[in-house]
Amino acid sequence: MDRQISDIKGILREEAGLLDKLYALERDKTSAIIDHNGSLLEQLSREQEELVSTVMSLEAARMKRVDEFKRARHIWHQGVSLKDIAARMDEPEADQVRSLGRQLKDVMGRLRRLQEANQTLIKDNMEYYTIMMTGLRRNGQLDSAYRHDGKEEENLKNSILFNQTA
């Protein structure tokens, strides 16, 4: 087996593992969004940023190995995919590369769908808070009254900022 193929397979495995971790963190973010836990959401986002940075460096290393593979096999056209690489390999290795590619694509698809769902949850929460803030500003009414010295005094009444049952 070529060194480039071995390296590509190793990188694909590592990327799939990191994307699985990203997916798990994204699932945790769903719970944090639902629970309105901003600090946990921030922490999970930071962890994801670190993993994304690692995935990006792995992707750069994979592209370098693909370029090496192309030079070694005298492939001159641009945009070589894993399917193209697998077509130039022996069958057991080709099946492994295709399987790793499918696994990577599957994890990325699940992650993308979950991120879209979380984005919708966050947008809905922001709309809710906007509506609440608008209501808070609108419901407060000024009640004019005169003090004992004859000057007008305005007091905020019916503000839902204060718990009226307390």
Side-chain angles (χ1 to χ4, degrees):
M1 174 172 20
D2 290 343
R3 189 186 107 254
Q4 293 96 3
I5 295 169
S6 172
D7 289 349
I8 289 170
K9 286 172 30 178
I11 290 169
L12 289 172
R13 282 187 194 98
E14 196 170 346
E15 277 185 296
L18 289 173
L19 287 174
D20 276 332
K21 289 179 184 177
L22 277 169
Y23 181 79
L25 288 172
E26 195 69 25
R27 229 180 21 237
D28 292 343
K29 281 173 70 174
T30 302
S31 298
I33 293 166
I34 291 170
D35 295 339
H36 304 280
N37 189 340
S39 59
L40 178 59
L41 187 61
E42 183 180 0
Q43 174 192 345
L44 294 168
S45 294
R46 284 194 183 123
E47 289 178 37
Q48 280 186 315
E49 285 176 17
E50 292 173 16
L51 288 175
V52 166
S53 176
T54 305
V55 169
M56 287 174 61
S57 64
L58 281 172
E59 189 63 19
R62 183 171 71 92
M63 294 310 296
K64 183 178 175 184
R65 296 306 181 276
V66 167
D67 287 341
E68 291 171 4
F69 180 84
K70 285 170 49 177
R71 276 194 302 278
R73 297 284 197 283
H74 306 291
I75 302 170
W76 307 117
H77 65 279
Q78 296 292 335
V80 175
S81 66
L82 286 177
K83 189 184 252 185
D84 297 331
I85 291 172
R88 290 174 164 56
M89 298 168 59
D90 296 334
E91 201 50 43
E93 291 174 346
D95 286 340
Q96 288 176 348
V97 168
R98 283 188 208 105
S99 174
L100 288 168
R102 281 190 300 272
Q103 180 184 0
L104 196 60
K105 185 177 179 179
D106 176 59
V107 173
M108 287 178 10
R110 286 186 293 130
L111 179 60
R112 187 190 81 250
R113 287 187 298 275
L114 186 56
Q115 286 173 331
E116 289 170 356
N118 282 348
Q119 183 179 11
T120 301
L121 283 173
I122 288 173
K123 195 184 305 183
D124 289 349
N125 279 341
M126 292 307 293
E127 278 183 35
Y128 170 76
Y129 286 121
T130 300
I131 291 168
M132 290 296 293
M133 291 303 294
T134 302
L136 289 173
R137 285 189 288 261
R138 189 177 5 175
N139 283 343
Q141 300 171 0
L142 291 177
D143 188 22
S144 294
Y146 291 98
R147 294 190 309 205
H148 68 280
D149 61 354
K151 294 184 180 176
E152 185 179 20
E153 181 178 278
E154 293 181 340
N155 294 321
L156 189 62
K157 79 173 195 180
N158 293 332
S159 173
I160 60 172
L161 283 175
F162 302 105
N163 186 348
Q164 295 178 356
T165 61

